[in-house]
């Protein structure tokens, strides 16, 4: 307990080292340059690798402050939260000539404002008493309305880029990502529930429906597509960049809004991932059309996956993958952006580490589920690495090359929104006591509340504390279909062989003898249906 407390205090200090330097040297601009103690107006650059069409007059929207709002509440600094809310209420405007990435602006700015509004109006927190009159919600509504022109396409799939003042620019690119179309529902859905204006949720849901309709017969989706034609541009896909938060938002939308269709989509998508992308503890990429492997690589964004697996109850698989990600972290001191699994080497041009939080996120969820002290040791190792390699006098700097630990003059806003929050909660989760929150992909908390549900889900796992209706489950069903963790399923089937993963359905007999295919289950590793051989044994005979 003393050990946890000391690390929570230490990371409390680290958060304010990043936050105070931002407020001193960069505020009200978007992000801090920690090496030169300067700033960048980077909201219009997020996701824009070519840095085209950058506005000349745009001078920032206090992006890092918006991203820090929910972190301030988690850290218990109500006075600084109130001060920030009042400043934004009086000074922030979105009537600016700035072309922004819809996905990035949605998860960072809209999500930050919606979450902070909920926290500011939560009577249990006693925040901004008497001075807050829904100003953040008004700002969020204004921003949401500025998003809507992006959805005016023949398909309903949104453009990746939209100008906050002028809408979609002439000759705007029609290429976007799966995440860019399918990861808008939490923030825009919450905005609709708070304002009573269904336009935002309808636009996001329509795009999600269209995207899901573009999946292959294998229930796989590609990475990039054209919003005007509805055609895929890149067929190779995985669980990393361009598609990662799509899977995350399907599950979390089911928890937040209680819609059964989100669960059905997620269940199909998850089983397809386990079947076609998984290779032992690793996840390669594959062609959505035939499931054949394309790229054997680890990317730092994939490290969110174990955390999602914890939430759906697949703890064994989550632990296995998490340990492999952490082995790469230990090898380099941080986790590189891209690591080639087939060659066991770094990608030659993507050796950087921009302070990404996904491994810390999964570590937090796994510790919440298991209380295994090993995950505390992982968190300590991550804190020590950040202190050793990224901490500078002016904040925390990104790492340009993990082989030399050369630094980049950039402190991303998500470092304060995600990395600091997840590592602090790993050591001190008192913020979560008696609360049920879903964290967005940017770690902004949204409360799970019955009034937002069309109907309550039969079961949900906010941080893997499972609630189940008292009913006898179907005898031979997977943990996935029953929405419970394999360990729970096993305890309810004490005389049967264990369920090893969420898609696993054990064979009818422990000795695997069968009389028909009906006696055979679903393989735990490949998620493929087993069949009965001529000799009378269950196996993957059709696939050998």
């Amino acid at each position: 307990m003393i050990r946890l407390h000391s690390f929570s205090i230490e990371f409390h200090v680290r958060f304010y080292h990043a936050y105070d330097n931002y407020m001193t040297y960069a505020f009200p601009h978007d992000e801090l340059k920690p090496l030169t103690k300067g700033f960048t107006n980077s909201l219009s650059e997020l996701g824009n690798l070519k840095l085209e069409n950058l506005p000349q007059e745009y001078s920032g929207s206090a992006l890092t402050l918006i991203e820090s709002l929910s972190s301030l509440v988690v850290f218990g600094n109500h006075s600084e939260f109130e001060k920030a809310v009042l400043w934004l209420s009086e000074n922030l405007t979105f009537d600016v000539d700035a072309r922004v990435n819809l996905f990035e602006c949605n998860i960072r700015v809209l999500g930050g404002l919606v979450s902070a509004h909920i926290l500011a109006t939560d009577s249990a927190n006693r925040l901004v008493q008497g001075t807050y009159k829904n100003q953040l919600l008004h700002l969020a509504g204004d921003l949401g309305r500025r998003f809507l022109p992006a959805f005016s396409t023949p398909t309903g799939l949104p453009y990746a880029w939209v100008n906050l003042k002028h809408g979609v620019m002439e000759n705007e690119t029609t290429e976007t990502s799966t995440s860019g179309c399918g990861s808008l529902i939490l923030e825009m859905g919450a905005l609709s529930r708070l304002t009573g204006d269904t336009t935002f949720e309808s636009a996001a849901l329509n795009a999600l429906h269209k995207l899901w309709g573009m999946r292959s017969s294998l229930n796989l989706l590609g990475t990039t597509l054209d919003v005007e034609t509805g055609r895929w541009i890149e067929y190779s896909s995985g669980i990393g960049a361009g598609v990662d938060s799509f899977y995350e938002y399907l599950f979390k939308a089911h928890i937040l809004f209680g819609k059964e269709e989100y669960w059905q989509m997620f269940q199909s998508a998850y089983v397809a991932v386990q079947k076609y992308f998984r290779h032992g503890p690793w996840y390669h990429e594959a062609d959505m059309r035939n499931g054949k492997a394309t790229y054997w690589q680890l990317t730092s964004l994939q490290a969110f996956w174990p955390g999602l697996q914890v939430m759906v109850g697949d703890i064994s698989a989550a632990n296995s993958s998490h340990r492999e990600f952490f082995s790469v972290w230990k090898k380099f001191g941080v986790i590189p952006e891209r690591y080639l699994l087939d060659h066991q080497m770094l990608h030659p041009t993507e050796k950087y580490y921009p302070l990404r939080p996904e491994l810390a996120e999964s570590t937090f969820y796994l510790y919440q589920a298991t209380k295994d002290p090993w995950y505390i040791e992982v968190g300590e190792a991550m804190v020590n690495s950040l202190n050793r390699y990224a901490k500078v006098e002016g904040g925390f700097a990104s790492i340009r090359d993990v082989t030399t630990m050369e630094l980049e003059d950039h402190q991303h806003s998500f470092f304060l929104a995600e990395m600091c929050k997840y590592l602090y909660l790993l050591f001190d989760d008192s913020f979560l006591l008696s609360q049920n929150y879903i964290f967005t992909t940017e770690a902004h908390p949204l409360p799970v509340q019955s009034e937002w549900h069309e109907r309550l889900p039969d079961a949900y796992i906010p941080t893997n504390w499972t609630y189940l209706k008292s009913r006898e489950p179907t005898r031979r069903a997977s943990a996935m279909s029953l929405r419970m963790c394999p360990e729970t399923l096993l305890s309810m089937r004490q005389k049967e062989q264990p369920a090893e993963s969420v898609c696993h359905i054990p064979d009818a007999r422990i000795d695997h003898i069968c009389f028909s295919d009906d006696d055979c289950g679903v393989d735990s590793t490949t998620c493929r249906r087993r069949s009965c051989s001529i000799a009378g044994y269950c196996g993957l005979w059709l696939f050998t």
Side-chain angles (χ1 to χ4, degrees), residues 49-63:
L49 297 180
K50 296 181 180 179
L51 303 182
E52 298 171 339
N53 304 314
L54 297 183
Q56 300 300 312
E57 303 300 324
Y58 174 71
S59 58
S61 300
L63 171 63

Side-chain angles (χ1 to χ4, degrees), residues 245-463:
S245 55
F246 164 74
Y247 298 106
E248 178 185 4
Y249 272 35
L250 285 180
F251 179 76
K252 290 182 176 179
H254 169 64
I255 301 306
L256 195 62
F257 302 126
K259 283 193 174 189
E260 186 68 17
E261 65 172 322
Y262 294 134
W263 172 259
Q264 297 298 336
M265 286 188 279
F266 173 77
Q267 180 182 13
S268 299
Y270 184 86
V271 170
V273 166
Q274 295 297 92
K275 182 176 181 179
Y276 295 106
F277 297 160
R278 184 181 179 186
H279 183 77
W282 299 107
Y283 288 82
H284 58 71
E285 296 180 25
D287 191 307
M288 63 172 284
R289 296 165 295 185
N290 53 35
K292 293 183 178 179
T294 52
Y295 302 107
W296 292 80
Q297 59 187 4
L298 171 150
T299 64
S300 58
L301 287 172
Q302 293 175 347
F304 89 100
W305 189 255
L308 180 62
Q309 289 181 306
V310 170
M311 286 186 280
V312 301
D314 202 351
I315 297 175
S316 177
N319 174 68
S320 177
S321 294
H322 177 275
R323 288 177 181 269
E324 295 297 331
F325 280 112
F326 185 57
S327 70
V328 176
W329 177 288
K330 289 193 298 182
K331 182 175 182 178
F332 295 101
V334 293
I335 193 165
E337 190 73 353
R338 194 175 300 272
Y339 183 75
L340 304 179
L341 296 173
D342 48 351
H343 299 292
Q344 292 291 294
M345 60 177 287
L346 287 169
H347 189 279
T349 62
E350 297 188 40
K351 301 177 181 180
Y352 51 90
Y353 171 64
L355 307 181
R356 291 204 187 276
E358 283 74 18
L359 185 59
E361 174 185 359
S362 289
T363 304
F364 159 73
Y365 280 116
L366 273 158
Y367 180 68
Q368 287 291 315
T370 65
K371 298 304 179 184
D372 184 340
W374 184 80
Y375 296 107
I376 296 296
E377 295 178 9
V378 172
E380 292 174 354
M382 297 185 73
V383 172
N384 291 335
S385 289
L386 292 171
N387 288 337
R388 179 178 181 182
Y389 300 119
K391 185 176 179 289
V392 296
E393 183 181 354
F396 284 83
S398 299
I399 295 172
R400 181 177 295 173
D401 188 332
V402 301
T403 62
T404 64
M405 292 302 172
E406 177 188 2
L407 296 178
E408 182 85 32
D409 196 12
H410 196 174
Q411 178 181 284
H412 291 272
S413 65
F414 56 68
F415 178 75
L416 290 95
E418 298 183 78
M419 178 67 89
C420 292
K421 185 182 286 128
Y422 281 125
L423 285 177
Y424 179 76
L425 287 172
L426 175 65
F427 303 116
D428 182 355
D429 62 359
S430 56
F431 170 76
L432 299 173
L433 295 179
S434 303
Q435 300 285 345
N436 283 331
Y437 286 109
I438 283 294
F439 288 102
T440 69
T441 197
E442 200 72 4
H444 295 305
L446 299 174
V448 178
Q449 45 194 355
S450 59
E451 55 264 35
W452 283 13
H453 288 168
E454 293 187 354
R455 71 173 187 82
L456 283 171
D458 290 338
Y460 75 86
I461 312 174
T463 51

